[in-house]
Amino acid sequence: MEQLQIAPLHELLSHFRYMITLRSQEGKYHSLILFRLSTAQDPGIKDLPTSESCGSQTDDISLSTGPSSNQRQIYVMESSCPHLGADMSHADIEECETGLVAVCPWHRYDFDLKTGKSETGLKACTYDVEVKVDLKDGVEKVYMQTPEEGTNWRLVELRPVSEEFADPPPPPKTIQHSEATVHVETGEIEPVVPPVNPPKTLMQWAVLILNTPNPSLKVERTRYAVDLFRTGKLSSIGHKSASAPRPPDVPSRDVSYTKNTVAPQKVKSRKNLAVMLHALANIEQWASLLTSRLAAISPSTPYGSMPVHASLWESATVTSQSLRSRLAIIHLVHEARGLDVNPATIERFRKAGDLETVKVMEIIHADEVTHVTSGHRWFTWICAQEGATEPVAAFRDEVRRGWRGDIKGPFNVDDREKAGLTPQFYEDLKGEMGFIEKAEQELFKSSVELSAIDIAPVNIEYDKE
C-alpha cells in the first residue's frame, strides 16, 4: 500500500479537523477531511466535549494502525457527503455500538470513520492512517493511504478547520461602536442581519456584502453568511431566480476610504512595513490579520488612511461574463503572482524583526497556494467539460485577451508547480487586452458601418514588489 506523509503528529495537535487536498501526477485532485480525536497520548490536549451517543459507549474505540501507531484516533475520509455533497468538515462525531461515525450536518446521514459504511447503504471513501516514528529524526509522523486512481500523489493543502464554524451560527447581533461599524455617512449602527427584507439566498447575501461600505461590517456579514451556508440554512444559491439581485458595478466605500482610492499605476512602491501591510490588506481575504498587524506597528496609519487601488475588482469586471476567464485571471494570474512575491515580503519582515507579521504572512502564503490550486483544478475541469481546449492553450488565450502586459518573473516555480501551474502555463506570456479590443472594434465598424465605439481600456496590474 502506497503511503503519503501528511505532517508530523505534533503539528496536528492545534486543531481537531483539517482539510486536505491531494494532487496526482496526472492532475487529479482529491479533497479530504482529517479528524483527529483527543487521546491520552496527546500532551496538553483535553478530551473532546462529549456528544450525543447513538448507542452504548465502549472503553477503547480507536483506529489501530499498527504497533507503532500508539492507538492514535486519526481518520481520513472524503470531504463531501456521498448523499448530496454537504461539507463534512463540520460533521458531528458520535459513538455507536459499531464504532465512531461522522454525522452529516445537513440530513444526519452517518458514516463509519474507519470503513465509510452507513446504515443508509451509502459509503464514503476512507483511507487508512498510520502514525509511525521517522527513523531519520525520531519524530512521530502521520501517513495516509493514497487514492487508487492516480500516481505520485502530493499534498497541496493541509488547512485547519476553524472550530468556530463547527458550532451552529451565532445569533444575529448589533455591531458595537468599539468594532468601528458605525456608518460614516449616516452615523447609524447597522446590524449584521438587516431588519427589513433580510437575505434568504447566497446570492442575496453576496450582493448585500458587496454593497456594505464598512469593511468591519462587511467581514461580520461574510462570516455570518458562511455559517448559514455551511449549516445548510440558506434556502438556495439564488442565481437562477428571475429576481436575483445584481452585483454593483463598483462596490461602495466609506468616505474615509474613497478619498484614498487611486489608479493602480499611481500606487508607488512599498516604502516601509506599514505601507506593505496596508497594500496587502487591500487584496487579501486574511485582511483582518493584516489590519491587526498594521494597527500594532503603525497606529497612526489605520487601514483606509493610505492609497489603495481596485485592480482585482477591475479584473473581476473584465471577466464577469466567463467563469473560465475569471479563474484564469484572478486565480492563476493575480493570486499566482502572490506566490512569487510573498517569500521576499516575508523575508523583509523577518529582517525587520517583526516575527508576528512573519507568522501572519506565512499563513497567508500557505493559503495562497490553496487558492491557486483551486483555480487550476476548476479551470482544467471547465476545459474538460468544453471538450475542445487543452488547459495550457486555453489559459494562455484567456490571459492574452484579459490581461495587459507581460506576466513577469521571477517565478516561485516550486509553489506554482505544487498548485498545478507548470512553466508551460506562464513562461513567455503576455496579455494583449486593448489591442484585441481595438481590432474587434474596427472589424465591427467595417461590418455594420456604424460609428466607432470607444471602449476605455482598463489598466490592470498586479502589485509589484
Side-chain angles (χ1 to χ4, degrees):
M1 178 183 69
E2 184 179 352
Q3 290 186 321
L4 176 68
Q5 180 181 311
I6 299 301
L9 178 62
H10 67 84
E11 293 183 4
L12 299 179
L13 299 183
S14 62
H15 289 72
F16 294 113
R17 303 164 190 232
Y18 290 82
M19 294 298 299
I20 296 175
T21 301
L22 306 181
R23 184 169 66 85
S24 72
Q25 180 175 318
E26 297 80 11
K28 296 180 180 291
Y29 288 87
H30 268 286
S31 295
L32 309 169
I33 175 73
L34 181 148
F35 295 100
R36 183 195 62 78
L37 307 187
S38 178
T39 70
Q41 291 90 359
D42 294 340
I45 300 297
K46 297 180 179 179
D47 287 339
L48 282 170
T50 57
S51 59
E52 180 182 354
S53 173
C54 60
S56 62
Q57 296 185 356
T58 61
D59 294 329
D60 183 17
I61 301 177
S62 61
L63 175 60
S64 176
T65 57
S68 61
S69 69
N70 293 325
Q71 299 294 309
R72 303 294 188 182
Q73 294 193 82
I74 302 177
Y75 305 85
V76 173
M77 67 184 300
E78 62 181 299
S79 62
S80 298
C81 176
H83 177 218
L84 288 178
D87 180 6
M88 291 294 286
S89 64
H90 306 293
D92 294 328
I93 305 300
E94 299 180 359
E95 291 182 85
C96 296
E97 294 180 355
T98 57
L100 291 170
V101 295
V103 182
C104 175
W106 280 16
H107 301 102
R108 306 296 296 173
Y109 279 52
D110 59 357
F111 300 91
D112 187 286
L113 285 177
K114 186 174 181 180
T115 66
K117 294 181 179 179
S118 170
E119 293 181 351
T120 64
L122 295 176
K123 186 177 186 296
C125 292
T126 57
Y127 299 86
D128 291 338
V129 177
E130 184 176 2
V131 180
K132 55 186 178 181
V133 176
D134 189 331
L135 298 179
K136 294 180 180 179
D137 53 20
V139 175
E140 282 190 307
K141 297 180 180 178
V142 179
Y143 296 81
M144 65 164 285
Q145 169 193 2
T146 58
E148 295 180 356
E149 312 85 11
T151 58
N152 296 326
W153 289 94
R154 296 184 59 181
L155 178 71
V156 296
E157 176 186 22
L158 179 64
R159 171 170 54 87
V161 176
S162 171
E163 302 296 329
E164 186 175 348
F165 288 129
D167 297 323
K173 67 174 183 177
T174 300
I175 306 301
Q176 302 299 317
H177 286 274
S178 61
E179 293 176 291
T181 53
V182 178
H183 195 282
V184 172
E185 297 179 354
T186 65
E188 299 178 352
I189 300 176
E190 292 188 56
V192 173
V193 180
V196 179
N197 296 325
K200 294 182 175 61
T201 68
L202 190 61
M203 177 69 77
Q204 290 173 352
W205 269 109
V207 173
L208 171 66
I209 290 166
L210 286 172
N211 280 301
T212 300
N214 186 282
S216 297
L217 180 58
K218 188 186 292 285
V219 170
E220 289 290 334
R221 284 177 167 169
T222 301
R223 291 165 63 88
Y224 188 77
V226 168
D227 279 325
L228 294 180
F229 181 71
R230 285 182 169 174
T231 54
K233 294 186 178 180
L234 288 178
S235 59
S236 71
I237 294 177
H239 62 295
K240 294 183 179 180
S241 170
S243 59
R246 289 183 56 83
D249 291 333
V250 178
S252 55
R253 300 173 68 90
D254 278 348
V255 174
S256 59
Y257 303 113
T258 302
K259 66 182 180 182
N260 286 320
T261 302
V262 299
Q265 63 270 23
K266 294 182 181 179
V267 178
K268 302 301 181 183
S269 61
R270 301 163 183 171
K271 298 179 181 178
N272 55 50
L273 301 184
V275 174
M276 291 171 64
L277 281 173
H278 197 279
L280 289 167
N282 185 51
I283 61 174
E284 288 292 345
Q285 75 158 359
W286 289 92
S288 58
L289 291 176
L290 294 165
T291 52
S292 295
R293 292 304 307 148
L294 179 62
I297 71 172
S298 182
S300 63
T301 57
Y303 179 67
S305 62
M306 297 182 184
V308 298
H309 63 78
S311 292
L312 278 173
W313 186 259
E314 290 169 346
S315 285
T317 302
V318 168
T319 61
S320 62
Q321 302 302 313
S322 168
L323 177 58
R324 195 179 88 170
S325 298
R326 173 70 54 84
L327 292 169
I329 302 302
I330 299 296
H331 289 275
L332 305 185
V333 176
H334 277 286
E335 294 194 296
R337 181 56 176 168
L339 300 183
D340 302 330
V341 302
N342 283 343
T345 303
I346 292 172
E347 188 59 28
R348 185 174 299 184
F349 281 104
R350 193 188 309 278
K351 289 181 178 178
D354 188 353
L355 299 184
E356 289 301 314
T357 299
V358 168
K359 293 178 181 177
V360 169
M361 287 301 302
E362 286 176 342
I363 292 173
I364 289 172
H365 182 69
D367 202 58
E368 198 84 278
V369 174
T370 71
H371 293 178
V372 181
T373 299
S374 296
H376 174 262
R377 179 180 185 178
W378 286 107
F379 185 84
T380 55
W381 179 85
I382 287 177
C383 291
Q385 297 301 304
E386 293 175 348
T389 311
E390 193 272 331
V392 170
F395 171 72
R396 297 181 74 91
D397 183 63
E398 293 290 356
V399 173
R400 188 173 66 90
R401 291 178 169 274
W403 190 262
R404 179 177 291 107
D406 295 332
I407 303 297
K408 300 177 181 179
F411 300 110
N412 184 340
V413 176
D414 290 341
D415 282 339
R416 279 176 173 257
E417 198 280 331
K418 182 185 293 184
L421 292 183
T422 58
Q424 290 82 3
F425 274 88
Y426 53 84
E427 286 185 342
D428 300 320
L429 180 58
K430 181 176 183 178
E432 300 176 9
M433 188 175 65
F435 297 104
I436 295 176
E437 291 171 347
K438 184 176 181 180
E440 289 178 345
Q441 286 184 39
E442 293 299 323
L443 178 62
F444 182 73
K445 285 195 302 181
S446 62
S447 62
V448 298
E449 298 181 351
L450 294 177
S451 60
I453 300 176
D454 294 325
I455 300 179
V458 180
N459 188 19
I460 301 173
E461 298 178 351
Y462 40 60
D463 287 343
K464 297 183 177 65
E465 184 62 31

